[in-house]
Amino acid sequence: MEKITSRKNTYISHIRALAKDADYRYTSREFLCDGMKLLQEAVSFGAEITSVLWKDDPSDRFSFSDSVRQYFVPEELFSYASPMANSPGPVFTVRIPSAKSGRILRNALILENVQDPGNVGTVIRTANAFGMDAVILVGACADVYSPKTARSTMGAIFRQNILRTDLQGLTDILTKSALPLYGAVLSPRAVSILEKDISRSAVAVGSEGNGLSRELIELCDGEIIIPMEPDSESLNAAVAASVIMWEMRGR
């Protein structure tokens, strides 16, 4: 295990770039995670861990293959390198997996332009709990491999099938799986999810502020709505998606 003492070290520069720059993440095909909980999840589910940065020299560190580079740094340098304030560590890098876009899907939850990392991460976590075949991100969604999004999945990022695509790609994926597409919208045409069987379908949820784009709505085979009290505000995107995925499980 190598000790690092300089902020100018190339590995320190690498993990700071992974934390801040989405383009760099996809070029490097790596993303950054922090914390023992996520590391345990990554190990348990066979994620390809590429490196680990420990705060000080750990006495209870994991055993990894020789292909996993391990480093340790003083606390001050760890705080500089970590994307999380006051992180207990460790920080580690994981290979971005290849998308499983060719498989036939029984269902899918689609997010369009949901920019909050916590919301995107929560949807991925919930989708994994409810057995969704895929979470599909369309438009300007938060990057699933940013440290904030990855952290909010609570380990589901290592288990859940996640696809990123555009509207044409979405059409191709759903056509291959013969899945009808429903949009969650506030509209006079929308049917209550209590009255519509959405167990084998794809359902799209938009951002809390703007909802789904007109272009995506035009691709939909129907529109659905979550019944609520008349005076209530629209639901947070992650909450709405969670309610919908519960109904997608089937009763």
Side-chain angles (χ1 to χ4, degrees):
M1 180 180 294
E2 179 183 343
K3 182 177 182 179
I4 298 174
T5 58
S6 172
R7 291 189 176 195
K8 295 180 180 180
N9 179 275
T10 55
Y11 178 70
I12 298 299
S13 299
H14 174 61
I15 61 175
R16 281 174 58 84
L18 289 177
K20 296 179 179 180
D21 189 336
D23 289 339
Y24 185 82
R25 287 192 284 272
Y26 287 99
T27 300
S28 303
R29 293 192 58 245
E30 286 182 298
F31 66 103
L32 190 68
C33 298
D34 64 80
M36 188 62 74
K37 162 68 175 173
L38 276 185
L39 181 59
Q40 291 170 337
E41 292 284 337
V43 170
S44 296
F45 290 94
E48 186 181 348
I49 299 168
T50 52
S51 69
V52 184
L53 179 67
W54 301 94
K55 182 189 296 186
D56 298 318
D57 191 358
S59 58
D60 58 348
R61 58 181 177 265
F62 281 49
S63 294
F64 294 106
S65 69
D66 292 340
S67 64
V68 179
R69 297 164 292 147
Q70 296 193 68
Y71 307 90
F72 69 98
V73 295
E75 183 171 351
E76 180 276 330
L77 185 52
F78 187 90
S79 297
Y80 171 77
S82 172
M84 179 180 176
N86 303 314
S87 171
V91 166
F92 61 100
T93 59
V94 183
R95 186 72 63 199
I96 294 177
S98 299
K100 301 175 183 177
S101 56
R103 63 187 286 190
I104 300 299
L105 304 177
R106 298 167 301 163
N107 52 44
L109 193 286
I110 299 152
L111 293 179
E112 184 189 38
N113 299 328
V114 177
Q115 298 181 346
D116 182 78
N119 280 339
V120 173
T122 297
V123 168
I124 292 168
R125 180 182 180 184
T126 307
N128 185 249
F130 290 166
M132 294 291 106
D133 276 1
V135 173
I136 304 176
L137 306 180
V138 177
C141 285
D143 181 22
V144 67
Y145 295 116
S146 75
K148 288 183 179 180
T149 309
R151 188 185 312 129
S152 65
T153 71
M154 295 298 289
I157 192 170
F158 307 121
R159 306 186 295 271
Q160 179 62 44
N161 184 27
I162 306 164
L163 306 175
R164 300 189 313 154
T165 189
D166 55 17
L167 292 181
Q168 182 58 58
L170 175 64
T171 299
D172 294 343
I173 292 168
L174 299 185
T175 298
K176 181 173 183 177
S177 296
L179 284 182
L181 173 61
Y182 299 105
V185 296
L186 294 171
S187 142
R189 300 180 299 277
V191 177
S192 167
I193 59 172
L194 300 178
E195 302 171 10
K196 186 75 175 177
D197 181 6
I198 56 174
S199 56
R200 194 185 186 285
S201 66
V203 179
V205 175
S207 67
E208 192 172 342
N210 299 316
L212 295 173
S213 68
R214 176 52 52 190
E215 291 80 5
L216 196 150
I217 292 173
E218 290 175 353
L219 297 177
C220 291
D221 300 289
E223 299 173 8
I224 60 172
I225 192 170
I226 299 171
M228 296 185 293
E229 293 299 314
D231 295 332
S232 62
E233 294 288 339
S234 62
L235 293 174
N236 166 276
V239 173
S242 299
V243 172
I244 289 166
M245 286 188 284
W246 174 257
E247 287 297 319
M248 292 173 75
R249 294 188 66 175
R251 296 194 277 282

